[in-house]
């Protein structure tokens, strides 16, 4: 295996929609082949075993360079549900074996791949290759994003009610803990009422007023900020305040298509960072894999492994569920900034976006 000994980090990923799959598959095939249609790809895609697709090099502000490899799981985008859990676990296990063969010093479990394992890494030998879900840096970018957005709206975090959709999840619980001493109120939502209630009970002594409800529509009208970290296509944001900041950080992403932006209402894709000093792919599949409105943007979960590699800090930094501490969020964000890996510019599915102040507050 080429450069086997020099892989600092591996990224295990998946696609969440067929147009992305189509772009990747056709991009990887020789230019002389007729492009395949989605219908042609659908029947065979998930039978492809996980494999490394390209090598990466990322550059730090400190001048350090780290080498990585991207491993695609070939999970079917239509099968990102609990119904296909066993099949998806097998895919992720195989992908981890590929990363271990590359002797990657740290492995990032991108997006859904950490969810299927429930962050449980105990079955893997992590004595030489460490594994991280990357959810701590993802949480840090989500929190930095909403804080920056609120400041731009000339509001203070301590005056805001924050709704967290998916509050009992790994990222949702990290954000809830982080914000519990910093905001006016926390509005917590998830589907499992018993789990949600038990989770909410932990915050009875905090300064923020806590409300929880499995019925999202009861909470939305009170929210100044909405953080969506649920893995669901069925979330409906209706009857929201005129000025609301919405951070859509879950998959699949579908919130901004249903919300009328402008005049103080602002929706952005959260949990994303930028490698300011750049990264390269070999072969150069960037337009197929990371086709964002600005170069060098990637998910916080992937960038956590890049930052840990820059730092030479090879450890299972984020693992399990509900273990992310506020101090760890601050720490990984500090390291990220040290290496020039920072919050991505605001964008949503329409492209880069700017916060526009409501008409009444313009001079
Ligand atoms: N931007 C990034 O870099 C990045 C990185 C990693 C992960 N992610 C995404 O972030 C999301 C959360 O990840 P995670 O690891 O925290 O997942 P997780 O631990 O599985 O948590 C998911 C949470 O969402 C809730 N939920 C699911 N469907 C819901 C619905 N229809 N309405 C309300 N709540 C719902 C779950 O509780 P109930 O089951 O009780 O409803 C749970 O609280 C995922 O979509 C993941 O792909 C983004």
């Amino acid at each position: 295996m080429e450069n086997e000994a020099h892989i600092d980090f591996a990224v295990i990923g998946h696609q969440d929609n067929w147009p992305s799959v189509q772009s990747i598959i056709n991009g990887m095939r020789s230019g002389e082949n007729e492009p395949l249609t989605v219908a042609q790809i659908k029947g065979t895609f998930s039978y492809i075993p996980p494999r490394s697709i390209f090598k990466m090099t990322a550059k730090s502000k400190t001048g350090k360079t780290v080498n990585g490899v991207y491993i695609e799981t070939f999970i079917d985008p239509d099968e990102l549900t609990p119904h296909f859990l066993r099949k998806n676990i097998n895919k992720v296990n195989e992908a981890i074996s590929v990363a271990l063969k590359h002797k990657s010093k740290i492995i990032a479990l991108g997006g859904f791949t950490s969810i299927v394992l429930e962050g449980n890494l105990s079955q893997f030998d992590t004595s030489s290759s460490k594994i991280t879900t990357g959810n701590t840096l993802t949480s840090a970018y989500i929190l930095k994003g909403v804080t920056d957005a609120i400041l731009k709206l000339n509001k203070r975090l301590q005056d805001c009610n924050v709704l967290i959709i998916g509050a009992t999840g790994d990222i949702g619980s990290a954000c809830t803990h982080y914000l519990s001493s910093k905001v006016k109120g926390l509005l917590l939502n998830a589907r499992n009422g018993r789990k949600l209630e038990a989770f909410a009970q932990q915050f009875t002594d905090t300064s923020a007023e806590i409300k929880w409800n499995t019925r999202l529509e009861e909470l939305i009208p009170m929210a100044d900020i909405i953080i969506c970290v649920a893995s669901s296509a069925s979330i409906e944001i209706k009857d929201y305040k005129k000025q609301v900041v919405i951070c859509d950080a879950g998959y699949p992403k579908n919130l901004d298509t249903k919300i009328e932006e402008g005049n103080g209402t602002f929706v952005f894709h959260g949990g994303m960072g930028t490698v300011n000093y750049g990264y390269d792919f070999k072969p150069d599949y960037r337009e197929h894999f990371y086709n964002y409105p600005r170069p060098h943007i990637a998910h916080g979960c992937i960038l956590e492994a890049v930052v840990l590699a820059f730092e030479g800090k090879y450890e299972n930094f984020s693992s399990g569920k509900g273990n992310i501490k506020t101090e760890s969020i601050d720490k990984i964000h500090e390291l990220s900034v040290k290496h020039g890996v920072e919050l991505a510019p605001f964008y949503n599915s329409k492209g880069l976006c700017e916060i526009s102040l409501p008409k009444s507050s313009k001079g």
Side-chain angles (χ1 to χ4, degrees):
M1 218 174 283
E2 194 197 342
N3 287 341
E4 188 175 20
H6 303 289
I7 298 294
D8 302 299
F9 68 94
V11 173
I12 294 182
H14 67 88
Q15 309 308 315
D16 65 356
N17 63 75
W18 286 110
S20 296
V21 169
Q22 186 185 25
S23 164
I24 288 165
I25 295 289
N26 285 326
M28 285 167 53
R29 296 168 81 235
S30 134
E32 286 162 31
N33 290 321
E34 272 294 295
L36 296 174
T37 63
V38 169
Q40 286 169 312
I41 295 167
K42 267 191 177 185
T44 50
F45 183 72
S46 76
Y47 292 99
I48 305 173
R51 49 170 279 213
S52 57
I53 304 289
F54 55 83
K55 299 273 172 60
M56 289 178 262
T57 306
K59 295 178 200 87
S60 161
K61 188 179 177 180
T62 64
K64 187 169 177 177
T65 297
V66 290
N67 298 318
V69 59
Y70 176 82
I71 297 159
E72 173 63 45
T73 49
F74 295 96
I75 289 175
D76 185 319
D78 294 335
E79 296 182 356
L80 293 167
T81 63
H83 189 68
F84 297 95
L85 190 64
R86 179 43 52 199
K87 184 174 172 190
N88 290 334
I89 286 177
N90 289 341
K91 284 269 190 187
V92 177
N93 285 345
E94 280 180 62
I96 290 176
S97 302
V98 176
L100 294 173
K101 278 190 200 137
H102 278 280
K103 297 193 169 64
S104 318
K105 293 180 194 154
I106 189 151
I107 303 166
L109 296 175
F112 188 74
T113 70
S114 70
I115 295 175
V116 297
L117 295 183
E118 299 227 303
N120 181 8
L121 311 179
S122 56
Q123 58 187 301
F124 303 106
D125 176 6
T126 58
S127 51
S128 53
S129 292
K130 305 297 176 189
I131 306 181
T132 187
T133 65
N135 284 347
T136 312
L137 189 55
T138 299
S139 305
Y141 289 148
I142 289 169
L143 293 158
K144 174 85 174 111
V146 295
T147 308
D148 285 4
I150 280 296
L151 275 175
K152 287 192 176 177
L153 284 170
N154 297 328
K155 290 192 197 175
R156 301 182 321 162
L157 208 51
Q158 63 263 42
D159 298 328
C160 292
N161 288 319
V162 184
L163 166 59
I164 300 183
I165 306 172
T168 53
D170 196 36
I171 299 172
S173 60
C175 293
T176 307
H177 279 283
Y178 194 94
L179 292 170
S180 61
S181 60
K182 297 178 176 67
V183 297
K184 182 172 152 209
L186 279 168
L187 311 165
L188 308 179
N189 170 261
R191 293 163 307 177
N192 183 325
R194 264 199 295 176
K195 216 169 144 190
L196 183 62
E197 183 174 11
F199 177 68
Q201 301 292 343
Q202 297 176 38
F203 299 94
T204 44
D205 290 339
T206 53
S207 55
E209 192 189 335
I210 307 288
K211 289 192 171 69
W212 62 270
N213 205 315
T214 54
R215 290 165 55 86
L216 188 55
E217 63 274 24
E218 303 281 330
L219 301 175
I220 290 174
M222 292 181 267
D224 303 293
I225 298 171
I226 300 176
I227 295 173
C228 183
V229 277
S231 317
S232 173
S234 64
I235 290 164
E236 287 285 340
I237 308 274
K238 285 193 291 202
D239 301 324
Y240 47 88
K241 279 190 180 180
K242 279 210 175 90
Q243 290 176 37
V244 64
V245 167
I246 303 175
C247 171
D248 187 1
Y251 290 93
K253 299 216 178 296
N254 58 357
L255 296 186
D256 51 342
T257 53
K258 301 172 191 162
I259 287 163
E260 201 179 317
E261 289 174 79
N263 203 23
T265 298
F266 181 64
V267 191
F268 70 99
H269 289 183
M272 309 296 294
T274 307
V275 184
N276 288 339
Y277 292 78
Y279 57 66
D280 297 315
F281 289 179
K282 204 172 158 197
D284 191 356
Y285 288 142
R286 270 175 298 181
E287 72 172 288
H288 308 294
F289 275 84
Y290 291 114
N291 194 5
Y292 296 112
R294 280 268 172 83
H296 307 137
I297 291 180
H299 294 86
C301 52
I302 292 170
L303 294 178
E304 183 170 303
V306 175
V307 168
L308 292 170
F310 280 147
E311 196 61 18
K313 193 174 166 64
Y314 295 110
E315 54 188 74
N316 302 334
F317 194 83
S318 310
S319 67
K321 242 185 212 290
N323 298 332
I324 298 174
K325 301 263 180 300
T326 290
E327 307 80 74
S328 313
I329 294 175
D330 286 334
K331 182 73 203 165
I332 194 73
H333 189 248
E334 188 193 311
L335 293 177
S336 172
V337 172
K338 172 182 164 187
H339 290 285
V341 184
E342 301 195 49
L343 179 69
F346 290 128
Y347 73 91
N348 58 32
S349 55
K350 294 168 205 117
L352 291 173
C353 49
E354 291 281 342
I355 298 179
S356 63
L357 285 167
K359 286 180 191 113
S360 57
S361 47
K362 283 182 188 161

